[in-house]
């Protein structure tokens, strides 16, 4: 069944988005991206060469004609630095989309939401399609939407922690609060985490560490592909209500008598 995700006029077949950090080499990155079935691939502008054609470039491995490249501002700790990094990516011809990260603390890697909101406003005015990475805070998610964000990307848990969706209740409130797509970003450790995110109603899941640092990254990438698809189908199907007591799956009422 057709279930395309459309954001700011861009259509995405897969609801699994994948990062490109922490793999052992570019070849493993390529194989993991292929196995994931993703069509959106994030690239850290500060950590990947995009301006010097004489040096090895990840974009020679991840074909921009095949995948939608989403540059991100990972490693930026101020609004000014994040804005400058986004501008650099666009000037280099990578994309006018940006996964906006403004980190507030180097230990937890939690976002600086005030700076994130400031940077979102500036970049939206400059015509960027902004995907801000934020805490699982419904109030901030709404402020980012009001600032013009094309989607919001609340964390499921701290970056790289593998803890899964730590606060599903906040995530549900975010999904009820905003009208733009919600893409769960950070904290996914295994396939069940991705499925839970999608069953809650998330529009997509972005992950990196959960795949790249698995014992078998290529296999995990395929597992995540199926997990996201299964969670999406379950959400659309609608789960049964939870009950305290049993309910017979073969009730006597209405049973055909011989």
């Amino acid at each position: 069944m057709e279930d395309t995700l459309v954001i700011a006029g861009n259509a995405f077949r897969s609801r699994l988005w994948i990062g490109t950090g922490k793999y052992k080499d570019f070849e493993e990155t390529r194989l993991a991206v292929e196995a994931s079935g993703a069509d959106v691939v994030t690239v850290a502008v500060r950590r990947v060469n995009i301006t010097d054609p004489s040096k090895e470039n990840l974009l020679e491995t991840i074909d921009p004609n095949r995948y939608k490249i989403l540059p991100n501002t990972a490693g930026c700790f101020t609004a000014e630095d994040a804005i400058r990094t986004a501008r650099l990516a666009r000037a280099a011809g990578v994309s006018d989309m940006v996964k906006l990260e403004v980190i507030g603390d180097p230990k937890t890697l939690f976002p600086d939401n005030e700076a994130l909101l400031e940077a979102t406003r500036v970049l939206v005015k400059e015509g960027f399609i902004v995907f801000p990475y934020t805490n699982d805070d419904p109030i901030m998610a709404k402020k980012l939407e009001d600032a013009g964000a094309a989607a919001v990307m609340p964390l499921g848990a701290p970056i790289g922690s593998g803890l899964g969706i730590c606060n599903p209740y906040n995530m549900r409130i975010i999904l009820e609060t905003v009208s733009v797509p919600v893409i769960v970003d950070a904290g996914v450790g295994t396939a069940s985490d991705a499925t839970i995110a999608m069953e809650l109603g998330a529009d997509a899941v972005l992950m990196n560490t959960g795949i790249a640092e698995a014992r078998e990254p290529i296999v995990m990438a395929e597992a995540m592909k199926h997990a996201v698809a299964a969670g999406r189908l379950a959400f659309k199907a609608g789960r049964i209500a939870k009950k305290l007591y049993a309910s017979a799956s073969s009730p006597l009422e209405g049973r055909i008598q011989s």
Side-chain angles (χ1 to χ4, degrees), residues 149-219:
V152 292
M153 305 184 76
L155 57 82
I159 292 174
S161 67
L163 291 172
I165 311 301
C166 288
N167 196 334
Y169 306 104
N170 270 23
M171 202 65 68
R172 287 176 59 185
I173 295 171
I174 290 173
L175 288 160
E176 293 175 359
T177 301
V178 302
S179 58
V180 294
V182 175
I183 302 166
V184 173
D185 182 14
V188 171
T190 191
S192 58
D193 299 332
T195 301
I196 288 170
M198 297 303 295
E199 287 178 347
L200 287 170
D203 294 279
V205 178
L206 192 155
M207 63 186 77
N208 187 177
T209 305
I211 295 175
E213 293 194 346
R215 187 175 65 250
E216 297 288 347
I218 316 306
V219 177

Side-chain angles (χ1 to χ4, degrees), residues 112-182:
D112 180 337
N113 283 328
E114 290 182 356
L116 179 69
L117 186 57
E118 177 187 346
T120 298
R121 288 172 174 153
V122 170
L123 292 174
V124 167
K125 287 181 180 179
E126 294 183 5
F128 282 87
I129 301 170
V130 182
F131 301 80
Y133 162 70
T134 181
N135 292 94
D136 55 348
D137 177 355
I139 305 303
M140 182 52 61
K142 182 59 179 173
K143 287 183 177 181
L144 291 166
E145 178 185 27
D146 291 344
V152 292
M153 305 184 76
L155 57 82
I159 292 174
S161 67
L163 291 172
I165 311 301
C166 288
N167 196 334
Y169 306 104
N170 270 23
M171 202 65 68
R172 287 176 59 185
I173 295 171
I174 290 173
L175 288 160
E176 293 175 359
T177 301
V178 302
S179 58
V180 294
V182 175

Side-chain angles (χ1 to χ4, degrees), residues 38-61:
D39 50 8
V40 177
V41 180
T42 66
V43 175
V45 179
R46 293 170 63 95
R47 298 172 186 156
V48 177
N49 168 49
I50 60 172
T51 58
D52 187 349
S54 67
K55 295 181 180 179
E56 188 177 25
N57 189 338
L58 176 63
L59 299 185
E60 295 173 354
T61 302

Side-chain angles (χ1 to χ4, degrees), residues 14-21 23 28-44 58 62 67-72 99 153 183-185 204-213 217-218 220-225 228:
S14 173
R15 291 174 183 265
L16 171 59
W17 296 14
I18 189 171
T20 53
Y23 293 95
E28 185 177 71
T29 306
R30 181 185 69 80
L31 292 172
V33 170
E34 288 185 357
S36 73
D39 50 8
V40 177
V41 180
T42 66
V43 175
L58 176 63
I62 306 300
Y67 301 100
K68 193 72 173 180
I69 305 300
L70 178 61
N72 69 62
K99 178 194 169 189
M153 305 184 76
I183 302 166
V184 173
D185 182 14
V205 178
L206 192 155
M207 63 186 77
N208 187 177
T209 305
I211 295 175
E213 293 194 346
I218 316 306
M220 184 61 81
E222 184 174 1
M224 293 298 190
K225 174 179 70 175
V228 167

